[in-house]
Amino acid sequence: MAAIESVLKENRVFEPSEDFKAHANVSGMEGYNALCEKANQDYEGFWGELAQELITWKKPFTQVLDESRAPFYKWFADGVLNISYNSIDRHLADKANKTAIIYEKDDGSSENITYQQLYERVCRFANGLKSLGVQKGDRVVIYMPMVPDAVVAMQACARIGAIHSVVFGGFSSGAVKDRVQDAAAKVIVTANESVRGGKNTPLKATVDEALKDGDCTSVEKVVVFKRTATEVPFTEGRDIWWDDLIAGQAAECEPEWVDAEHPLFILYTSGSTGKPKGVQHSTGGYLLGAMVSMKWVFDYKPDDVYWCTADVGWITGHTYIAYGPLAVGATQVVFEGVPTYPDAGRFWQAIEKHKVTTFYTAPTAIRSLIKLGADLPKQYDLSSLRLLGTVGEPINPEAWMWYYEVVGGGRCPIVDTWWQTETGSNMIAPLPGAVAIKPGSCTLPLPGIMVDIVDESGASVDQSNGGFLVISRPFPSLLRTIWNDDARFQATYFPEELGGKLYLAGDSAHRDEKGYVWIMGRIDDVLNVSGHRLGTMEIESALVANPLVAEAAVVGKPHDVKGEAVVAFVILKGDRPEGEDAKRIAQELKTWVAHEIGKIAQPDDIRFGDNLPKTRSGKIMRRLLRTLAKGEEITTDTSTLENPQVLDQLKHSV
Ligand code: 6R9
């Protein structure tokens, strides 16, 4: 609770500077309030006008919002568009030679790609996909390193109306297999290897492993991008090199015009129960959310050099790399490497080199860079920066102040953006030329986003009381459903208990006297490790899938860099191991989880007991496990426990 308490006591306020305000896309609270007022008075008119202004439609829409099948909302449903056309083609008339992507490679070299070149690369690859038989509505899994070609692959899918499902390159073969099967993907796009931090990691081999049992019957082709010179085994008839696929393909490809509601992509994310959910996004509403936030939150200007450090495997990399910046015609950095290679000055060095104006990263990266080199930013010229952003988890005020003063020189507003895979784009974040910022608060909702904080019955709580964060009106970039699971979509996000009409975000929050939102944490069993969402259930299922394990419970404990670390309480089928045995098995289980899900899910701390603390009715007392994980004494009553003696065993990490 330490971080949260310090957040609660935070009372520093930073007003936008006159200079920033004067040039901002939304200027002053007058500007912000006017937009909110408009949204309040004519909600559909507000969104409809923005959609007309920002998106190029092949055929304009006549209806803004269709609520007839709530909560399966439709936006701009009879409008027809293509998001790749909106991201690239429409810029060619006046920006063909503008740099779209600055590819900052792992080794420190870089390469610029203009909008014209991006257009040709996307068209060639789109034609290549078509030549493999990929059609509108087919699913394509993209399992790629952070190279511009990952963006090319996503844009190419969008261009031909195929639905992409990007799987983060750090996920294991098990995760790839689950996602391929759930979406019944026809094609997988991967690379022989990724290059990060000077190290090569196989990707194609992981895909081979995911496909080796023959359970992924939907997959017809695997396209392999050659990132390194390393040869990889090919399966005859199935695998094809990217370069061979595009050889001879035309550099033009007529976009597939789709309805606004046509699914653009599926992105899997963790929930409290079961397997990861395939969050399904639309084309038109999603694009509008991405563009509006580029304009309002990132205050996009044509001469900006924008850099979002996320991986395209996460929603931030979708909205704020693959689509948003391109849709507004920005120049952006696409970074292949890691923040600490060759040293912890890498971000600052690249900001200096490319004269970055807008920099968007995660609190966990900031914390680790403070730890490794709080003085390093001073060695670089960061005067090009004008705006900073964070996303993924609450930022502690100490890290916020360092970011503000040392990186931003006290000159750059910080946009702390609260949103989710499901919301598609920023929901709560300061408009930097309008809203004064406070360290640790994501401040106020974007105009048109109706945020509330409610109790268990769905009633608004009094100001200053904590509660569930909800969004009370549908908005364009909201997920449309969970892939193949409408019932789970409805039950998870629009629960009957809250009346069935409120979008339940899964976070708790409270508001201060100015209405500023302070996120307190998840209300479900979802951990936030280095800004990545992990379901405790997923890790538990991975552990019990190991032949040695009888039962497992996973909780989070505070970690000064990662935010939260994974602690696993494990009961083996045999005797409780001790000494060297325990160490060996703990290591084995860590490796196992890395293999089942990916390294990011690997427990930091494993503890063995004869049993888990359970109530007499057999419920695991997670509250006690969380206390033990933190290394705190249990002071509450444990008399309802069936087996209090196990608490002592579970105190000790291996
Ligand atoms: C974009 C993204 C969503 C969860 C969300 C919340 C946490 C994200 C935050 C934040 C506090 C912020 N979260 N941004 N908490 N302040 N600015 O991260 O999507 O991976 O789906 O995670 O992350 O708990 O519910 P996703």
Side-chain angles (χ1 to χ4, degrees):
M1 290 305 278
I4 289 172
E5 271 165 24
S6 75
V7 163
L8 293 182
K9 288 195 209 99
E10 185 57 51
N11 47 25
R12 285 169 285 202
V13 184
F14 299 85
E15 297 285 345
S17 70
E18 283 309 317
D19 184 49
F20 198 98
K21 202 168 142 183
H23 299 105
N25 291 341
V26 178
S27 184
M29 281 309 276
E30 323 76 79
Y32 172 79
N33 288 331
L35 287 168
C36 293
E37 196 52 35
K38 197 164 161 191
N40 279 333
Q41 276 169 10
D42 177 12
Y43 193 69
E44 290 190 29
F46 171 81
W47 285 116
E49 275 174 38
L50 286 166
Q52 269 163 6
E53 180 203 329
L54 296 172
I55 295 175
T56 304
W57 297 90
K58 181 74 173 170
K59 176 174 159 280
F61 54 90
T62 59
Q63 187 186 12
V64 174
L65 171 62
D66 175 358
E67 301 189 74
S68 59
R69 279 187 64 236
F72 299 92
Y73 302 104
K74 289 182 179 167
W75 286 87
F76 322 117
D78 62 348
V80 174
L81 76 163
N82 180 283
I83 196 168
S84 172
Y85 179 90
N86 273 272
S87 308
I88 306 170
D89 307 36
R90 65 166 163 169
H91 305 313
L92 297 181
D94 61 342
K95 289 192 275 288
N97 296 323
K98 180 175 179 176
T99 299
I101 290 176
I102 301 170
Y103 172 24
E104 170 73 16
K105 295 190 189 181
D106 188 63
D107 68 6
S109 63
S110 48
E111 223 172 83
N112 289 2
I113 303 168
T114 64
Y115 272 94
Q116 179 66 36
Q117 290 165 335
L118 183 63
Y119 170 81
E120 289 169 13
R121 285 165 78 157
V122 168
C123 286
R124 283 213 169 85
F125 195 67
N127 287 327
L129 287 175
K130 281 211 264 190
S131 76
L132 297 180
V134 178
Q135 294 175 354
K136 178 179 172 190
D138 284 343
R139 275 79 58 208
V140 174
V141 160
I142 298 176
Y143 183 63
M144 289 275 281
M146 264 306 288
V147 291
D149 312 82
V151 176
V152 168
M154 293 163 82
Q155 284 281 348
C157 286
R159 192 160 191 94
I160 63 172
I163 303 169
H164 60 69
S165 167
V166 182
V167 179
F168 170 57
F171 277 131
S172 70
S173 62
V176 173
K177 182 170 166 179
D178 284 348
R179 285 154 176 78
V180 165
Q181 284 181 331
D182 190 67
K186 196 170 191 174
V187 168
I188 301 178
V189 182
T190 188
N192 54 349
E193 295 183 310
S194 67
V195 183
R196 291 178 83 230
K199 282 203 295 276
N200 297 8
T201 308
L203 290 177
K204 168 67 163 61
T206 308
V207 171
D208 287 342
E209 198 181 324
L211 300 183
K212 77 168 190 273
D213 298 335
D215 300 337
C216 298
T217 48
S218 59
V219 176
E220 293 171 11
K221 296 280 174 190
V222 176
V223 181
V224 188
F225 177 76
K226 199 168 199 165
R227 172 59 188 89
T228 65
T230 308
E231 286 300 326
V232 287
F234 261 42
T235 299
E236 203 43 51
R238 187 195 71 185
D239 301 346
I240 176 169
W241 286 111
W242 174 298
D243 284 343
D244 292 338
L245 179 68
I246 61 168
Q249 296 292 350
E252 276 123 56
C253 171
E254 172 69 10
E256 177 81 36
W257 303 103
V258 299
D259 295 344
E261 284 296 320
H262 181 67
L264 175 64
F265 66 84
I266 309 168
L267 182 60
Y268 288 81
T269 191
S270 299
S272 44
T273 54
K275 288 201 165 177
K277 303 174 281 208
V279 168
Q280 178 183 322
H281 277 286
S282 71
T283 302
Y286 172 80
L287 174 60
L288 183 59
M291 291 194 69
V292 160
S293 48
M294 283 304 298
K295 186 175 163 185
W296 290 348
V297 180
F298 296 102
D299 192 46
Y300 170 68
K301 300 284 160 46
D303 50 2
D304 275 341
V305 178
Y306 164 100
W307 182 10
C308 165
T309 69
D311 190 287
V312 290
W314 311 112
I315 190 68
T316 307
H318 280 61
T319 311
Y320 297 107
I321 295 177
Y323 293 109
L326 297 177
V328 297
T331 294
Q332 70 170 324
V333 176
V334 168
F335 178 48
E336 179 177 42
V338 297
T340 49
Y341 177 82
D343 60 47
R346 183 65 189 268
F347 279 172
W348 325 126
Q349 182 253 332
I351 290 172
E352 174 182 281
K353 174 173 163 198
H354 300 299
K355 302 200 167 37
V356 171
T357 59
T358 311
F359 182 67
Y360 190 30
T361 194
T364 184
I366 298 169
R367 286 191 301 263
S368 74
L369 294 179
I370 294 175
K371 220 173 176 162
L372 294 169
D375 284 335
L376 284 175
K378 296 199 179 116
Q379 298 179 13
Y380 299 93
D381 177 6
L382 304 182
S383 60
S384 58
L385 286 172
R386 66 177 196 92
L387 181 62
L388 301 172
T390 75
V391 58
E393 53 179 317
I395 180 164
N396 46 309
E398 298 70 30
W400 194 101
M401 285 307 301
W402 180 85
Y403 197 31
Y404 186 74
E405 283 171 348
V406 182
V407 179
R411 181 184 75 244
C412 310
I414 296 178
V415 290
D416 177 346
T417 60
W418 179 88
W419 60 295
Q420 308 176 293
T421 305
E422 293 88 340
T423 68
S425 60
N426 295 168
M427 294 284 111
I428 312 177
L431 307 199
V435 178
I437 46 181
K438 301 185 188 184
S441 171
C442 49
T443 75
L444 301 174
L446 269 67
I449 302 299
M450 308 303 184
V451 166
D452 200 0
I453 296 173
V454 302
D455 63 19
E456 294 82 12
S457 71
S460 301
V461 297
D462 290 338
Q463 185 251 305
S464 90
N465 278 352
F468 304 140
L469 184 67
V470 298
I471 302 175
S472 57
R473 294 278 284 137
F475 51 90
S477 69
L478 180 67
L479 82 161
R480 294 303 190 257
T481 189
I482 291 173
W483 180 257
N484 269 337
D485 205 343
D486 286 349
R488 191 171 170 203
F489 163 77
Q490 190 154 6
T492 308
Y493 300 115
F494 293 91
E496 276 310 318
E497 296 87 319
L498 302 183
K501 294 212 135 200
L502 303 174
Y503 167 75
L504 178 67
D507 282 0
S508 61
H510 73 98
R511 274 190 281 221
D512 67 17
E513 68 293 346
K514 289 252 193 256
Y516 277 43
V517 177
W518 300 80
I519 304 292
M520 293 153 76
R522 297 284 307 188
I523 55 172
D524 50 15
D525 292 321
V526 170
L527 305 183
N528 193 328
V529 180
S530 301
H532 302 313
R533 267 167 79 170
L534 294 170
T536 51
M537 268 277 302
E538 271 169 78
I539 308 174
E540 287 163 9
S541 314
L543 283 166
V544 295
N546 184 291
L548 296 175
V549 176
E551 214 181 350
V554 165
V555 301
K557 73 171 175 190
H559 185 281
D560 60 357
V561 171
K562 301 183 192 180
E564 264 186 309
V566 177
V567 184
F569 297 90
V570 178
I571 316 308
L572 297 184
K573 285 178 184 154
D575 289 338
R576 175 166 57 92
E578 286 181 273
E580 285 307 309
D581 251 8
K583 281 207 174 79
R584 183 179 50 77
I585 299 173
Q587 191 47 51
E588 210 174 302
L589 294 179
K590 286 183 190 179
T591 311
W592 174 268
V593 172
H595 182 262
E596 291 287 296
I597 306 176
K599 264 217 173 84
I600 50 169
Q602 195 166 294
D604 268 30
D605 182 349
I606 292 190
R607 305 181 186 190
F608 294 109
D610 293 327
N611 205 337
L612 294 168
K614 287 177 189 155
T615 61
R616 280 168 220 278
S617 63
K619 273 212 171 68
I620 298 171
M621 299 276 282
R622 286 177 182 275
R623 177 175 54 78
L624 295 180
L625 291 177
R626 281 191 278 266
T627 308
L628 289 175
K630 277 190 257 179
E632 289 171 3
E633 282 304 315
I634 291 172
T635 50
T636 50
D637 183 17
T638 53
S639 60
T640 55
L641 270 191
E642 168 81 32
N643 47 4
Q645 72 285 358
V646 300
L647 294 177
D648 253 350
Q649 301 169 355
L650 297 173
K651 263 187 199 161
H652 308 289
S653 311
V654 172

